[in-house]
Amino acid sequence: MPSNFSKNLIIFILIFALFFSLYFFLRNIIYDTDDITYTMNAESGIKNDYIFWSSQHPLWGPLDVLAYQASKKLGNTEGALVPLQFINSIFGALAVSMFFLSLYILTGNRIVSLLVAMIFGVSFYFWHWSGCIKHYSVATFFTVLILYFIVRLEKGGTLNALGAGLATGISALFHSANIIIFLPIGITILIMKKTIIRNISNFLTYIIGLILFFVTPHLFIMNYFLGIQFNNFFFWAPSYPWFGLQTRFQGFDFNFNLQRLPIFLDRFWNIMAGFYSYYGNNPLYYFIWKNYFPILLILTGFFFIISIFRLFKERYPLMIFFILWIVLQWIGLWFVDPFNFFIYIILLPILSIFAVSLTCFIEKFKKSRMVQYSSILLLLILLIPLFFTNLFAAIIPAHQYNPFMETINHYRNIIKRTDTVVSSGINPDSVYFKYFIRANIIDIVGLHQHYPTIKPDEILKRLKIQVNSALQESKIIYIHNDLLNEKTEVPPWAPSNMNMSSISQFFKKNYIIEPIPGDDIGKYLILKKKHDKKQP
């Protein structure tokens, strides 16, 4: 008979093979602006401080560049999009496999652990992130690794405390919000063992790991690349989980504003659905995603209440760990912009409680085969609809929607690499044109950001120089129609010296604007010099 290690290794490999195939071969074909920006950074081989350009995700840049350069060594000539998706798919599949091992150590039930880990793997959020460009799946893998070391620490071994510290640091380097798990981990370690000395020893070992792989890298990045002095370390540290490296602590608004309640409930209700899904235009899919998480939460609560006395009697440190982790995530959802919070990671502690509670319920009625089979059937009922919903959403491209990708697909046969596109910068079209068509870009917002203190009239003089130069060098110049509308709203993040009324008048006064022949959308128009038009 195969040993437990052999059985778990075989299942680990099978899970990895299954989910890597799902994530990579059914990867996203719809890219948002972040995807394109990370890809362009990887291809340009960003250097010096720009390699750590994302203050909330300092290791994203280096990993992107490394993955792309490695793919070039292996013969890739098609750019960085697929190599970055390949890396995410690997770490996504590894995260599901490691979650299985963690649950098995936690519950001792291989079937429950396998099916619950698969529920996490086919959850919309994680499936979506594991097939895209962003490295959320990488951060999730190291977060699962934290869970793995913590459940192993319950059975002993100081090295597990060190491993948890290292995993916490690396996880936060890929997503700053993950550092908040430090609090429940620290409390759990201090109450884990019966001897105070052993608890303190494990806690200090955990802190050593955290210093080595979180504090030290950040001090290096801050001082050497960003020029932030060491004495500012504790000044920005309180805001780091939410706003990253390059911010300064301004204090938090801990005001229980009831106006936030609808937003909070919406984020809560849509944890499985995603709040900017590119697949949400299918009502059936959205219905399943939207109602899945509340059902899962109700079932978790049901089994947890039934098994609560046994769980807290035998496993109270881990129960406190999971509950504190969930509470901190909810606090983040209430007080912080959910886009800055890794809200689908909340599935990890919830599913862990679900797995261990369900296992206790099965053991309580271990003589009843009906209870065992019913429990497995329940897990399959949770797993199968979610799996096929995401599978069909990934297979059928018509279900994937991004208006900016549609714009690119429409104009890529019209606008050429030798052309110039004048973009407001208010919408992200310019990013797509720059990557997919490689056209020259004149970004109006970018121009204002480069000269934030110059008066609008001076900005327009510099803009005229750029446009006239492009008219001499480019085959054709195209202009976005929002630059011709005086009522186009300037977003709050745009520079204060940007005035759409003066910009619109500038183009109408100095240039001729004509429609593109045969273009039925009219989003972009042709820009010409005044004297290019023949007078009758």
Side-chain angles (χ1 to χ4, degrees), residues 298-369:
I298 291 169
L299 289 172
T300 301
F302 172 76
F303 289 112
F304 181 67
I305 291 172
I306 290 176
S307 310
I308 190 169
F309 294 109
R310 180 180 173 184
L311 288 174
F312 272 92
K313 181 180 179 181
E314 300 176 2
R315 318 290 293 276
Y316 77 93
L318 288 179
M319 294 304 103
I320 290 175
F321 169 64
F322 293 135
I323 291 171
L324 286 176
W325 189 356
I326 293 170
V327 168
L328 282 173
Q329 289 283 342
W330 289 133
I331 290 174
L333 281 176
W334 181 272
F335 290 111
V336 185
D337 178 4
F339 280 95
N340 287 329
F341 239 74
F342 225 168
I343 62 175
Y344 70 89
I345 278 189
I346 201 172
L347 288 175
L348 292 174
I350 289 175
L351 286 174
S352 297
I353 292 177
F354 177 58
V356 73
S357 301
L358 181 60
T359 301
C360 283
F361 177 78
I362 293 172
E363 290 176 353
K364 186 176 181 179
F365 300 96
K366 59 184 176 182
K367 294 183 179 180
S368 172
R369 288 189 175 272

Side-chain angles (χ1 to χ4, degrees), residues 95-107:
V96 181
S97 297
M98 284 303 304
F99 192 38
F100 158 73
L101 285 184
S102 304
L103 292 177
Y104 178 72
I105 296 170
L106 178 67
T107 66

Side-chain angles (χ1 to χ4, degrees), residues 67-117:
Y68 176 58
Q69 293 301 325
S71 74
K72 288 176 65 178
K73 295 290 185 182
L74 296 174
N76 171 45
T77 59
E78 298 298 323
L81 274 174
V82 174
L84 299 189
Q85 289 178 297
F86 179 80
I87 289 294
N88 278 337
S89 299
I90 286 178
F91 277 98
L94 283 174
V96 181
S97 297
M98 284 303 304
F99 192 38
F100 158 73
L101 285 184
S102 304
L103 292 177
Y104 178 72
I105 296 170
L106 178 67
T107 66
N109 188 313
R110 190 171 284 111
I111 296 177
V112 170
S113 301
L114 171 62
L115 294 177
V116 172

Side-chain angles (χ1 to χ4, degrees), residues 89-276:
S89 299
I90 286 178
F91 277 98
L94 283 174
V96 181
S97 297
M98 284 303 304
F99 192 38
F100 158 73
L101 285 184
S102 304
L103 292 177
Y104 178 72
I105 296 170
L106 178 67
T107 66
N109 188 313
R110 190 171 284 111
I111 296 177
V112 170
S113 301
L114 171 62
L115 294 177
V116 172
M118 291 182 70
I119 288 172
F120 177 73
V122 301
S123 62
F124 170 76
Y125 252 131
F126 195 63
W127 186 320
H128 175 72
W129 292 129
S130 296
C132 73
I133 306 299
K134 306 172 191 67
H135 293 299
Y136 289 128
S137 60
V138 185
T140 304
F141 166 73
F142 288 103
T143 306
V144 173
L145 210 57
I146 298 169
L147 178 61
Y148 172 78
F149 285 119
I150 290 297
V151 295
R152 281 179 58 91
L153 186 62
E154 186 186 39
K155 299 180 180 179
T158 303
L159 286 178
N160 290 315
L162 180 64
L166 300 179
T168 305
I170 298 174
S171 177
L173 285 167
F174 278 104
H175 197 281
S176 60
N178 287 351
I179 194 59
I180 67 167
I181 201 176
F182 158 77
L183 293 173
I185 291 174
I187 293 171
T188 302
I189 291 176
L190 288 173
I191 63 174
M192 182 75 78
K193 303 296 180 182
K194 293 182 179 179
T195 59
I196 296 176
I197 294 177
R198 175 60 64 86
N199 288 338
I200 293 175
S201 173
N202 287 339
F203 179 77
L204 293 176
T205 304
Y206 172 74
I207 294 298
I208 290 172
L210 197 59
I211 290 173
L212 287 174
F213 274 78
F214 179 73
V215 177
T216 303
H218 277 81
L219 290 177
F220 172 71
I221 295 169
M222 285 170 57
N223 188 269
Y224 185 76
F225 289 99
L226 303 180
I228 302 174
Q229 299 301 314
F230 176 78
N231 58 1
N232 287 325
F233 180 88
F234 294 103
F235 189 57
W236 59 256
S239 65
Y240 174 81
W242 294 274
F243 307 113
L245 269 175
Q246 301 188 64
T247 58
R248 295 293 183 270
F249 184 50
Q250 302 294 329
F252 296 116
D253 177 19
F254 290 113
N255 178 23
F256 285 90
N257 187 347
L258 290 180
Q259 292 180 350
R260 295 178 181 176
L261 184 60
I263 299 174
F264 176 83
L265 292 176
D266 180 69
R267 297 294 182 254
F268 165 81
W269 200 267
N270 284 283
I271 279 180
M272 296 298 292
F275 43 78
Y276 67 98

